[in-house]
Amino acid sequence: MITQPADAVEWTLPRHPRSASRARIRLLRQAFEWEIDVESAETALLLLSELVTNACHHARGPRDRLIGVRLLLPTPTLLRVEVSDASPKLPVPRHAAPEDESGRGLELVAALATSWGAEPRGKGYIGKTVWFELALPSPAGPASGDLVASR
C-alpha cells in the first residue's frame, strides 16, 4: 500500500487486455471521489482506455512488466492522467485511413485532451510515460483525507 497526497493516486496493472477495463473502473471511482463532472470523467475514461490499451498492445518487453497509471489534480480545474510502460519507444500518432480497423487512438487523445505528450521515464526507471490533461469546467478536489492506492 502506498499513501499518496490527497490530489494524486497511482496503481499498477498487468500488461493484459483486461487492464483497460480495470483502469476505467478505478478512474471512475476516483472521479466520483474528486467530484469531477460527468462529461470530463467520460472523456478521461475513453482516453485512459486508449493509453492503457496501447501500453498493453505496443509496449515491447517482458510479459511480466507492469503498466503504471497515475491520476493527478495539479489544480482544481485540471486533471492529468499518466500511463507508464517499460518500452522506451515513444508513440507517434498516425493518420488512419477510413478502412483501417485501428490506429486512431492517439488522434482521439490529441482531439479530446487539452494537452498530451510522451516522454522517457525519469532517471532510474525504464520505459516511457504517456500523459494527457483535461481542463475541468468546474473545480474538483478530494472529498476528504488522503487517498490510498494499491500496487
Side-chain angles (χ1 to χ4, degrees):
M1 301 286 270
I2 298 173
T3 303
Q4 296 294 323
D7 59 353
V9 63
E10 63 184 343
W11 63 87
T12 57
L13 299 164
R15 222 177 85 210
H16 188 276
R18 285 185 285 209
S19 290
S21 65
R22 291 177 179 157
R24 286 191 305 268
I25 290 167
R26 288 183 178 214
L27 185 144
L28 186 59
R29 289 178 181 157
Q30 194 61 50
F32 177 78
E33 181 78 19
W34 282 344
E35 299 177 357
I36 292 173
D37 69 287
V38 173
E39 187 175 325
S40 296
E42 288 175 347
T43 301
L45 289 169
L46 175 65
L47 301 184
L48 172 65
S49 186
E50 289 295 334
L51 297 188
V52 171
T53 299
N54 282 352
C56 289
H57 289 292
H58 302 295
R60 300 290 179 234
R63 251 346 233 177
D64 61 342
R65 293 287 183 184
L66 299 174
I67 296 167
V69 178
R70 187 171 184 216
L71 310 177
L72 301 106
L73 275 178
T75 71
T77 57
L78 186 68
L79 173 65
R80 181 179 173 101
V81 177
E82 302 174 348
V83 176
S84 299
D85 64 53
S87 173
K89 186 176 179 184
L90 297 178
V92 177
R94 66 182 183 124
H95 186 69
E99 64 275 1
D100 289 346
E101 293 182 13
S102 63
R104 293 175 184 81
L106 290 178
E107 283 184 354
L108 191 61
V109 173
L112 297 177
T114 305
S115 61
W116 79 280
E119 56 212 24
R121 292 183 71 194
K123 188 174 182 177
Y125 294 96
I126 61 169
K128 68 177 169 303
T129 298
V130 184
W131 56 269
F132 67 85
E133 294 179 338
L134 290 177
L136 304 174
S138 58
S144 62
D146 287 346
L147 301 174
V148 177
S150 61
R151 284 200 170 230

